Amino acid sequence: MKANTAERDMRSPPEIARSVRAMIVSGDLRPGDHLSTIELANRFGVSRGPVREALRLLESRALVRILPRKGAFVNSLQDDEVGVTLEAREFIFAALAELAAERATRGNLLELRRKLQVLGKLASKPTTTANEFKLATYDYVQVLYGAAHNARLNQIMRDLSEGVGHAFGHLSMATQEMRSAEYEAYRDLTDAVAQRDRTKAYDLARRMHAAGVARARQLQAAIPAAVVEFKGRRRRSRLVAATT
């Protein structure tokens, strides 16, 4: 009996990549963990071919690194591949903010203010989770990117965020103090865009991105169990436990 389309899609390389990324975001897979193609193939009921393709997709998003004769490993914020990606993301985020300051319509600005109000309310609530706040920031930046009216830059930013942005973003918003700092940065950026101050919007966006990365790295480094310096040795991941 042939599998239906939905069943085949669940086993496709992009779907496997999304599932593994979710495991990285949730902490089920930690920086330095070895990603066994055999264990992943067993988990998803596929051959090792689709798993290898999925891992290459994750590598292109800087979430994993594939080492010859050693295998694939989950990246951390301290890894060079992640740093290069975040550097590119910082400049593109700043460029989009600058363009938004120049091109935002009145409707764009009103929507930015509405999204900012949501961020402010969440930042003031002690019960807000990092993930809730992160999702609200995604709503805000989608409006900001749209206000730049540059589809190509918008897509590049989406591609960059698909990996490291989604996987590590919540680390920069883990505490209420961090979320308050993030909200204040978004408030200042919104004011700069509304004032049509391109230079200020660009500079604020760069500093804001850099500060968020610094907070995320600081938090990750403060959790010894989640930080692994790769020395060419495989460390058993929790994939087997996840499948039982």
Side-chain angles (χ1 to χ4, degrees):
M1 180 178 178
K2 293 184 178 180
N4 60 36
T5 302
E7 289 172 335
R8 289 196 299 270
D9 288 345
M10 287 299 290
R11 299 171 183 175
S12 68
E15 182 58 37
I16 293 170
R18 281 191 289 272
S19 296
V20 174
R21 187 189 71 178
M23 294 165 71
I24 295 171
V25 172
S26 69
D28 287 335
L29 290 171
R30 299 173 297 170
D33 274 345
H34 174 237
L35 298 170
S36 166
T37 55
I38 295 174
E39 291 176 9
L40 285 170
N42 289 338
R43 176 184 178 85
F44 294 105
V46 296
S47 67
R48 295 168 71 181
V51 170
R52 291 192 186 99
E53 289 184 47
L55 293 176
R56 284 193 287 269
L57 284 172
L58 292 170
E59 185 182 39
S60 73
R61 298 288 189 254
L63 285 177
V64 307
R65 61 195 180 281
I66 300 174
L67 304 178
R69 296 181 298 280
K70 290 186 175 71
F73 298 83
V74 179
N75 275 332
S76 78
L77 284 168
Q78 283 71 37
D79 289 317
D80 290 342
E81 299 94 327
V82 176
V84 169
T85 301
L86 289 172
E87 238 179 30
R89 193 173 184 272
E90 177 183 316
F91 282 103
I92 295 174
F93 179 56
L96 285 164
E98 180 182 24
L99 287 173
E102 176 187 351
R103 301 175 180 178
T105 65
R106 187 170 182 275
N108 293 148
L109 294 173
L110 288 173
E111 189 62 18
L112 273 180
R113 292 291 186 192
R114 282 194 286 269
K115 299 300 183 184
L116 183 67
Q117 285 181 350
V118 173
L119 286 177
K121 290 177 182 177
L122 290 173
S124 66
K125 287 174 56 179
T127 56
T128 296
T129 67
N131 193 56
E132 286 174 332
F133 193 81
K134 181 179 76 170
L135 293 176
T137 66
Y138 290 169
D139 288 342
Y140 174 97
V141 296
Q142 291 312 309
V143 177
L144 180 72
Y145 301 160
H149 298 282
N150 185 308
R152 181 59 181 155
L153 274 183
N154 195 335
Q155 186 58 54
I156 292 172
M157 191 61 178
R158 285 174 183 269
D159 291 341
L160 289 171
S161 298
E162 178 71 15
V164 295
H166 286 286
F168 299 117
H170 62 287
L171 293 175
S172 68
M173 309 167 192
T175 68
Q176 187 176 12
E177 183 180 4
M178 288 178 172
R179 292 189 287 274
S180 294
E182 191 86 348
Y183 163 69
E184 290 171 7
Y186 276 113
R187 183 190 61 198
D188 292 343
L189 180 60
T190 303
D191 289 342
V193 171
Q195 292 161 8
R196 306 293 181 182
D197 191 330
R198 294 180 55 185
T199 301
K200 187 176 181 181
Y202 181 90
D203 291 342
L204 282 172
R206 282 201 62 190
R207 291 203 300 270
M208 176 180 177
H209 190 279
V213 170
R215 289 197 304 272
R217 283 179 171 150
Q218 183 179 25
L219 178 62
Q220 192 176 77
I223 309 173
V227 178
V228 175
E229 182 181 355
F230 180 69
K231 299 181 183 300
R233 296 190 299 269
R234 293 187 180 186
R235 190 182 74 184
R236 188 172 178 79
S237 73
R238 288 180 279 181
L239 282 171
V240 172
T243 62
T244 58

